[in-house]
Amino acid sequence: MTVLIVGTLGLDTIETPFGLKKDILGGSAVHAAMAASFYSQAAIVGVVGADFPTEHLALLKERGIDVSGIEVGKGETFRWSGYYEYDMNQAHTRDTRLNVYNTFDPKVPDKLKKAEYVFLANLDPQLQLKVIKQLDSPKLIAMDTMDFWINNKREALREVIKQVDFLLLNDGEARQFMETPNIPLAAARLRQLGAKSVIIKKGEHGALLFDQGGRHFSAPSYPQEMLRDPTGAGDSFAGGFIGYLARTQDVSSANIRRAIVVGSVMASFNVEDFSLDRMKRLTPQEIGRRFDEFRGFAEFGALNIKL
Ligand code: AMP
């Protein structure tokens, strides 16, 4: 089952307490597709400039990712530069250069229009809307966004939210967008805006689901001692989440919980190194072992005293 992913392909310059890396492979669609590719075939719709190194495309192809929806536009590749301090949950943007995305008019290739599982990764919400309009009959649409679009394209963002099954946001972004410090309240307001279910990612502290039945699920955090670069954690989470749902073809609430833990597993690996460096080396066995560890973190017995 193919997962269609639309988002950025970019060159990131990132500074963390563990080093400074210039012009490394990044972009929301890249991180998401890499994580999804462990479960389903991923296909990317996006644009790069002629300066995008061909080895990056080769790496995506090696993972079986369909790159036929990636255009080469006139101009430079998207670039993002940011830094993290010791609280690595919070990315600080230094510079965002949309470059080829300024004039990008996404065209979903015919064979991908019938994709049933779709992830609208971080991107201009007006472009996200254009993609939704080209889809034949999507079964499940998930979307992500960030402060850049909350600040600059609030109205278009509200339009996209109405059309998605899952809205994924960081805790800080949910608070900012819904103007409340209270996460359950922010999630309830996002659902009132039309998102069927809301997933709030809390970086190293796990993830929360507020689903369409008003039910709540909390995925545990992973005690990660190898955290080097959190860039792409949110997209890896989303890629794992939707890739797993597409693979299993099961959107029951029990399977959605499992998919959230799969997403958390993929994010926990992605942050172990810069760019896709950890994901390139990741094996299915490692994924399986870490999933079992996550299960253990959330297990506890029933109350065994009489109150
Ligand atoms: P995250 O999973 O939220 O850490 O996403 C990180 C990726 O998003 C980076 O590799 C960036 O290239 C990309 N990115 C940063 N800013 C934007 C933006 N405004 N729109 C789309 N993608 C972005």
Side-chain angles (χ1 to χ4, degrees), residues 166-187:
F166 286 90
L167 168 63
L168 286 76
L169 273 183
N170 287 343
D171 49 355
E173 289 157 357
R175 290 190 177 101
Q176 177 201 355
F177 193 13
M178 292 297 104
E179 295 172 355
T180 170
N182 182 309
I183 288 293
L185 192 58

Side-chain angles (χ1 to χ4, degrees), residues 53-293:
T54 48
E55 77 237 32
H56 294 339
L57 283 178
L59 169 66
L60 299 176
K61 282 191 209 157
E62 255 170 53
R63 287 287 324 158
I65 296 169
D66 179 346
V67 298
S68 62
I70 301 177
E71 288 172 33
V72 181
K74 283 206 187 79
E76 284 184 35
T77 296
F78 171 84
R79 277 177 173 73
W80 178 75
S81 155
Y83 69 96
Y84 302 85
E85 292 172 332
Y86 280 101
D87 174 3
M88 305 237 290
N89 285 325
Q90 182 62 43
H92 303 279
T93 294
R94 285 196 169 114
D95 194 21
T96 305
R97 295 196 183 182
L98 296 173
N99 294 336
V100 279
Y101 278 89
N102 272 316
T103 50
F104 181 46
D105 186 16
K107 283 181 199 66
V108 180
D110 282 341
K111 65 171 192 254
L112 296 175
K113 287 186 175 151
K114 53 181 188 307
E116 294 185 345
Y117 291 81
V118 179
F119 177 52
L120 308 172
N122 236 314
L123 187 68
D124 182 335
Q126 282 170 324
L127 300 183
Q128 292 178 321
L129 280 171
K130 281 188 171 184
V131 169
I132 294 177
K133 286 201 180 105
Q134 295 173 52
L135 303 173
D136 288 343
S137 51
K139 196 165 167 186
L140 188 150
I141 305 182
M143 72 170 284
D144 192 6
T145 194
M146 66 186 294
D147 52 356
F148 187 86
W149 303 114
I150 295 172
N151 296 333
N152 297 319
K153 295 275 175 100
R154 199 170 274 252
E155 280 320 303
L157 197 51
R158 284 172 176 260
E159 277 310 304
V160 197
I161 286 173
K162 285 182 195 151
Q163 305 190 38
V164 301
D165 300 288
F166 286 90
L167 168 63
L168 286 76
L169 273 183
N170 287 343
D171 49 355
E173 289 157 357
R175 290 190 177 101
Q176 177 201 355
F177 193 13
M178 292 297 104
E179 295 172 355
T180 170
N182 182 309
I183 288 293
L185 192 58
R189 289 184 185 165
L190 289 163
R191 289 186 49 235
Q192 275 159 17
L193 285 185
K196 293 192 184 75
S197 298
V198 175
I199 296 177
I200 308 281
K201 300 163 288 172
K202 297 189 299 163
E204 62 190 320
H205 306 301
L208 303 173
L209 165 72
F210 299 87
D211 79 4
Q212 36 186 335
R215 286 165 302 229
H216 170 246
F217 169 67
S218 173
S221 60
Y222 185 72
Q224 179 55 275
E225 293 184 5
M226 287 283 293
L227 175 60
R228 295 188 77 217
D229 172 22
T231 308
D235 302 309
S236 305
F237 176 98
F241 172 75
I242 198 155
Y244 181 78
L245 288 178
R247 166 76 166 270
T248 52
Q249 297 276 302
D250 173 2
V251 291
S252 64
S253 80
N255 207 47
I256 284 165
R257 290 178 176 212
R258 225 177 266 127
I260 289 175
V261 176
V262 168
S264 305
V265 166
M266 300 314 280
S268 78
F269 281 115
N270 182 70
V271 301
E272 290 183 6
D273 212 337
F274 286 84
S275 187
L276 298 186
D277 290 357
R278 181 63 179 98
M279 303 301 266
K280 280 193 290 204
R281 308 190 302 267
L282 185 59
T283 64
Q285 292 72 24
E286 289 176 307
I287 295 176
R289 276 200 297 275
R290 192 160 291 179
F291 186 90
D292 288 342
E293 277 187 80

Side-chain angles (χ1 to χ4, degrees), residues 5-9 27-29 44-47 101 104 119-123:
I5 296 173
V6 55
T8 50
L9 298 107
S28 57
I44 299 180
V45 167
V47 61
Y101 278 89
F104 181 46
F119 177 52
L120 308 172
N122 236 314
L123 187 68

